[in-house]
Amino acid sequence: MSSGIGIRLSPLYHHATPSTCTGNPRGRPATSNTSTRFPSYKKLYLNAKNKNDEFHKLSDTPAADGQITYPSDQEAETRFVTEPLESDMTIAGYCKANLFVSSTHNDMVVLTYLYVLDEDGCRIPFVMDLNPATPIRKGGLKISHRKQDEALRTEYRPYHTHRKEDVQKLVPGEIAEAEIEILPTTARLKKGWRLEFVIMPKNSAGELFDPRDNYSEGALNTVYGRRYQGCTEMGRPQRYPDNVKYLCPNQPETAG
C-alpha cells in the first residue's frame, strides 16, 4: 500500500490507448479509438525524498524511501507536482488520498488540496472569482477519525464513521494509514499543464478547526514516501511505496 491521491478520469475525454485504460464496466472489447469511453483511474506516487526549490515530485512509479516532517501548528504547504501532461485530460468523479502519517502527539489534522498548474507553474483558478488560491477540489481528516464503515466504503470513496467509540488516537511516532475523501469534481486539463497535490496541517480559513485542539501546538507531523511496517527475519523494516490512487469502482484494485 502507498500514500497518495485518487482521481477519476472522464470516460469520454481521457485520451489513451486501450492498454493504458483500466475499467470496462460493460464488458465491451477495447477498440483502437483515440478516446476511450470507459472510466480510468491513475496511480501517482508521492516522492517524499527528492525535492527541487519549490515542490516534491508526484510520479507514476514508486519513489525511494523518504519522509517529510513539518510543524503541526503552522500553515506550511507540502507540495507534490506531476510532470507536464502529455495530452488533454478530463477529471470527472470521486477522488481520494491514501496516506501514511505520524505525529509526535496523539492526533493530527491533514488538509488536502488538488490544484492545476499552467505551463508557467501558476495555479489556474477554477471558480468564478478567479482566485488562484481556490483548488479544483479539497478534502481533510482528523486522523483519529480514520475508522471506516466497511459496509459503506468503496474502492474509490472512503466512508468514515465519525463515532466517538471509533476514535483511534495516534501513538506518538508510530505510523498510521488513513484514507481521505476528496469530494467529486470535474475539470478539463490541457496538454502541458500539471497536477499539484498539497498537504497542510491548518489554514487561515479555519477548515477542520478543532476547539478542543490540545495536540497541534509544538507537535511535528510526518508524511512518508514509503510505509514501514513490521520486520523481516533480518530485523530490517519492510517498505511499502506511498502513492496516489485513481481507482475504478468496476475493477478490483491491483496490489501496489
Side-chain angles (χ1 to χ4, degrees):
M1 295 294 293
S2 308
S3 292
I5 60 171
I7 301 172
R8 187 185 189 198
L9 306 183
S10 167
L12 297 179
Y13 298 110
H14 173 50
H15 293 271
T17 61
S19 62
T20 61
C21 175
T22 61
N24 191 338
R26 299 183 183 179
R28 292 184 292 193
T31 68
S32 59
N33 293 341
T34 57
S35 181
T36 177
R37 298 185 64 83
F38 305 118
S40 173
Y41 286 79
K42 180 178 177 63
K43 283 188 178 182
L44 294 174
Y45 295 80
L46 305 187
N47 187 327
K49 187 173 183 179
N50 298 320
K51 182 179 184 294
N52 64 16
D53 293 336
E54 299 181 6
F55 53 78
H56 299 266
K57 289 184 178 180
L58 192 59
S59 59
D60 293 326
T61 56
D65 298 340
Q67 61 191 57
I68 302 166
T69 299
Y70 54 89
S72 180
D73 53 0
Q74 298 181 18
E75 296 183 28
E77 290 188 349
T78 301
R79 303 175 61 201
F80 300 87
V81 180
T82 66
E83 293 294 328
L85 297 177
E86 297 180 355
S87 62
D88 291 353
M89 182 175 73
T90 296
I91 297 172
Y94 289 96
C95 311
K96 80 169 185 179
N98 187 82
L99 301 176
F100 292 92
V101 298
S102 70
S103 178
T104 56
H105 214 290
N106 64 0
D107 209 345
M108 61 185 287
V109 168
V110 175
L111 302 175
T112 61
Y113 304 89
L114 188 64
Y115 294 94
V116 176
L117 306 180
D118 64 17
E119 294 87 347
D120 297 321
C122 299
R123 289 175 177 170
I124 300 173
F126 275 80
V127 291
M128 293 301 293
D129 61 7
L130 300 181
N131 180 1
T134 304
I136 60 174
R137 219 51 174 145
K138 57 188 175 181
L141 183 69
K142 186 177 179 181
I143 299 301
S144 61
H145 286 233
R146 62 189 181 277
K147 175 73 173 179
Q148 296 193 54
D149 187 321
E150 296 299 325
L152 296 176
R153 66 176 295 196
T154 68
E155 292 279 3
Y156 57 98
R157 185 188 180 190
Y159 199 102
H160 303 100
T161 64
H162 295 295
R163 290 192 292 259
K164 183 177 181 180
E165 60 268 26
D166 290 336
V167 168
Q168 298 174 324
K169 291 291 186 179
L170 293 173
V171 176
E174 188 172 296
I175 299 173
E177 179 183 8
E179 288 189 337
I180 301 174
E181 180 179 14
I182 302 174
L183 297 177
T185 187
T186 180
R188 178 68 165 166
L189 280 58
K190 295 182 180 180
K191 178 181 177 180
W193 290 0
R194 300 174 184 236
L195 281 172
E196 178 188 17
F197 178 61
V198 172
I199 296 173
M200 294 182 68
K202 63 184 297 184
N203 65 13
S204 57
E207 293 175 319
L208 288 189
F209 171 74
D210 185 356
R212 293 172 293 182
D213 177 2
N214 62 354
Y215 48 83
S216 63
E217 184 176 0
L220 295 175
N221 297 344
T222 300
V223 176
Y224 294 85
R226 285 179 180 265
R227 175 188 181 188
Y228 292 79
Q229 173 180 307
C231 292
T232 65
E233 293 181 358
M234 299 297 293
R236 297 182 179 180
Q238 299 172 351
R239 297 171 175 85
Y240 298 83
D242 296 326
N243 69 2
V244 176
K245 296 184 178 178
Y246 298 78
L247 302 176
C248 178
N250 305 105
Q251 179 172 321
E253 177 192 1
T254 57

PDB file of all heavy atoms in Angstrom, residues 85-98:
ATOM      1  N   LEU A  85       1.436  17.250 -18.448  1.00  0.00           N
ATOM      2  CA  LEU A  85       0.580  16.246 -19.078  1.00  0.00           C
ATOM      3  C   LEU A  85       0.965  16.084 -20.552  1.00  0.00           C
ATOM      4  O   LEU A  85       1.215  17.062 -21.255  1.00  0.00           O
ATOM      5  CB  LEU A  85      -0.885  16.656 -18.969  1.00  0.00           C
ATOM      6  CG  LEU A  85      -1.457  16.764 -17.549  1.00  0.00           C
ATOM      7  CD1 LEU A  85      -2.903  17.247 -17.610  1.00  0.00           C
ATOM      8  CD2 LEU A  85      -1.361  15.437 -16.826  1.00  0.00           C
ATOM      9  N   GLU A  86       0.974  14.848 -21.018  1.00  0.00           N
ATOM     10  CA  GLU A  86       1.339  14.574 -22.401  1.00  0.00           C
ATOM     11  C   GLU A  86       0.162  14.722 -23.359  1.00  0.00           C
ATOM     12  O   GLU A  86       0.348  14.740 -24.570  1.00  0.00           O
ATOM     13  CB  GLU A  86       1.927  13.172 -22.507  1.00  0.00           C
ATOM     14  CG  GLU A  86       3.223  13.003 -21.718  1.00  0.00           C
ATOM     15  CD  GLU A  86       3.805  11.617 -21.835  1.00  0.00           C
ATOM     16  OE1 GLU A  86       3.139  10.753 -22.458  1.00  0.00           O
ATOM     17  OE2 GLU A  86       4.918  11.377 -21.322  1.00  0.00           O
ATOM     18  N   SER A  87      -1.055  14.816 -22.804  1.00  0.00           N
ATOM     19  CA  SER A  87      -2.248  15.007 -23.635  1.00  0.00           C
ATOM     20  C   SER A  87      -3.338  15.646 -22.795  1.00  0.00           C
ATOM     21  O   SER A  87      -3.242  15.691 -21.554  1.00  0.00           O
ATOM     22  CB  SER A  87      -2.736  13.673 -24.206  1.00  0.00           C
ATOM     23  OG  SER A  87      -3.102  12.793 -23.163  1.00  0.00           O
ATOM     24  N   ASP A  88      -4.386  16.149 -23.433  1.00  0.00           N
ATOM     25  CA  ASP A  88      -5.520  16.700 -22.703  1.00  0.00           C
ATOM     26  C   ASP A  88      -6.147  15.625 -21.819  1.00  0.00           C
ATOM     27  O   ASP A  88      -6.135  14.444 -22.169  1.00  0.00           O
ATOM     28  CB  ASP A  88      -6.573  17.243 -23.661  1.00  0.00           C
ATOM     29  CG  ASP A  88      -6.108  18.490 -24.397  1.00  0.00           C
ATOM     30  OD1 ASP A  88      -5.021  19.012 -24.076  1.00  0.00           O
ATOM     31  OD2 ASP A  88      -6.836  18.938 -25.294  1.00  0.00           O
ATOM     32  N   MET A  89      -6.734  16.036 -20.709  1.00  0.00           N
ATOM     33  CA  MET A  89      -7.337  15.083 -19.787  1.00  0.00           C
ATOM     34  C   MET A  89      -8.505  15.750 -19.076  1.00  0.00           C
ATOM     35  O   MET A  89      -8.455  16.936 -18.761  1.00  0.00           O
ATOM     36  CB  MET A  89      -6.303  14.618 -18.761  1.00  0.00           C
ATOM     37  CG  MET A  89      -6.812  13.576 -17.779  1.00  0.00           C
ATOM     38  SD  MET A  89      -5.484  12.975 -16.681  1.00  0.00           S
ATOM     39  CE  MET A  89      -5.285  14.410 -15.616  1.00  0.00           C
ATOM     40  N   THR A  90      -9.562  14.988 -18.844  1.00  0.00           N
ATOM     41  CA  THR A  90     -10.705  15.475 -18.081  1.00  0.00           C
ATOM     42  C   THR A  90     -10.863  14.643 -16.822  1.00  0.00           C
ATOM     43  O   THR A  90     -10.955  13.417 -16.888  1.00  0.00           O
ATOM     44  CB  THR A  90     -11.997  15.419 -18.908  1.00  0.00           C
ATOM     45  OG1 THR A  90     -11.876  16.300 -20.022  1.00  0.00           O
ATOM     46  CG2 THR A  90     -13.195  15.836 -18.069  1.00  0.00           C
ATOM     47  N   ILE A  91     -10.901  15.306 -15.676  1.00  0.00           N
ATOM     48  CA  ILE A  91     -11.181  14.654 -14.405  1.00  0.00           C
ATOM     49  C   ILE A  91     -12.675  14.792 -14.144  1.00  0.00           C
ATOM     50  O   ILE A  91     -13.232  15.882 -14.241  1.00  0.00           O
ATOM     51  CB  ILE A  91     -10.386  15.315 -13.268  1.00  0.00           C
ATOM     52  CG1 ILE A  91      -8.880  15.149 -13.506  1.00  0.00           C
ATOM     53  CG2 ILE A  91     -10.788  14.742 -11.913  1.00  0.00           C
ATOM     54  CD1 ILE A  91      -8.044  15.935 -12.536  1.00  0.00           C
ATOM     55  N   ALA A  92     -13.323  13.679 -13.800  1.00  0.00           N
ATOM     56  CA  ALA A  92     -14.761  13.733 -13.528  1.00  0.00           C
ATOM     57  C   ALA A  92     -15.130  12.609 -12.574  1.00  0.00           C
ATOM     58  O   ALA A  92     -15.176  11.450 -12.970  1.00  0.00           O
ATOM     59  CB  ALA A  92     -15.557  13.618 -14.827  1.00  0.00           C
ATOM     60  N   GLY A  93     -15.371  12.933 -11.315  1.00  0.00           N
ATOM     61  CA  GLY A  93     -15.800  11.911 -10.377  1.00  0.00           C
ATOM     62  C   GLY A  93     -15.121  12.006  -9.026  1.00  0.00           C
ATOM     63  O   GLY A  93     -14.621  13.050  -8.618  1.00  0.00           O
ATOM     64  N   TYR A  94     -15.114  10.864  -8.332  1.00  0.00           N
ATOM     65  CA  TYR A  94     -14.589  10.798  -6.969  1.00  0.00           C
ATOM     66  C   TYR A  94     -13.068  10.860  -6.954  1.00  0.00           C
ATOM     67  O   TYR A  94     -12.392  10.422  -7.866  1.00  0.00           O
ATOM     68  CB  TYR A  94     -15.035   9.497  -6.298  1.00  0.00           C
ATOM     69  CG  TYR A  94     -16.496   9.461  -5.960  1.00  0.00           C
ATOM     70  CD1 TYR A  94     -17.413   8.857  -6.818  1.00  0.00           C
ATOM     71  CD2 TYR A  94     -16.972  10.040  -4.788  1.00  0.00           C
ATOM     72  CE1 TYR A  94     -18.758   8.818  -6.509  1.00  0.00           C
ATOM     73  CE2 TYR A  94     -18.321  10.003  -4.466  1.00  0.00           C
ATOM     74  CZ  TYR A  94     -19.211   9.395  -5.331  1.00  0.00           C
ATOM     75  OH  TYR A  94     -20.538   9.375  -5.014  1.00  0.00           O
ATOM     76  N   CYS A  95     -12.544  11.401  -5.845  1.00  0.00           N
ATOM     77  CA  CYS A  95     -11.105  11.436  -5.606  1.00  0.00           C
ATOM     78  C   CYS A  95     -10.860  10.964  -4.177  1.00  0.00           C
ATOM     79  O   CYS A  95     -11.737  11.038  -3.330  1.00  0.00           O
ATOM     80  CB  CYS A  95     -10.557  12.851  -5.756  1.00  0.00           C
ATOM     81  SG  CYS A  95     -11.057  13.720  -7.247  1.00  0.00           S
ATOM     82  N   LYS A  96      -9.645  10.481  -3.929  1.00  0.00           N
ATOM     83  CA  LYS A  96      -9.291  10.147  -2.551  1.00  0.00           C
ATOM     84  C   LYS A  96      -7.781  10.187  -2.386  1.00  0.00           C
ATOM     85  O   LYS A  96      -7.024  10.081  -3.349  1.00  0.00           O
ATOM     86  CB  LYS A  96      -9.830   8.785  -2.135  1.00  0.00           C
ATOM     87  CG  LYS A  96      -9.025   7.591  -2.618  1.00  0.00           C
ATOM     88  CD  LYS A  96      -9.501   6.321  -1.930  1.00  0.00           C
ATOM     89  CE  LYS A  96      -8.621   5.138  -2.301  1.00  0.00           C
ATOM     90  NZ  LYS A  96      -9.047   3.892  -1.620  1.00  0.00           N
ATOM     91  N   ALA A  97      -7.351  10.363  -1.128  1.00  0.00           N
ATOM     92  CA  ALA A  97      -5.942  10.299  -0.781  1.00  0.00           C
ATOM     93  C   ALA A  97      -5.733   9.152   0.185  1.00  0.00           C
ATOM     94  O   ALA A  97      -6.545   8.919   1.083  1.00  0.00           O
ATOM     95  CB  ALA A  97      -5.493  11.613  -0.138  1.00  0.00           C
ATOM     96  N   ASN A  98      -4.672   8.400  -0.042  1.00  0.00           N
ATOM     97  CA  ASN A  98      -4.300   7.311   0.856  1.00  0.00           C
ATOM     98  C   ASN A  98      -2.911   7.644   1.409  1.00  0.00           C
ATOM     99  O   ASN A  98      -1.928   7.643   0.671  1.00  0.00           O
ATOM    100  CB  ASN A  98      -4.270   5.987   0.105  1.00  0.00           C
ATOM    101  CG  ASN A  98      -4.060   4.809   1.036  1.00  0.00           C
ATOM    102  OD1 ASN A  98      -4.983   4.319   1.658  1.00  0.00           O
ATOM    103  ND2 ASN A  98      -2.815   4.356   1.134  1.00  0.00           N
TER     104      ASN A  98
END
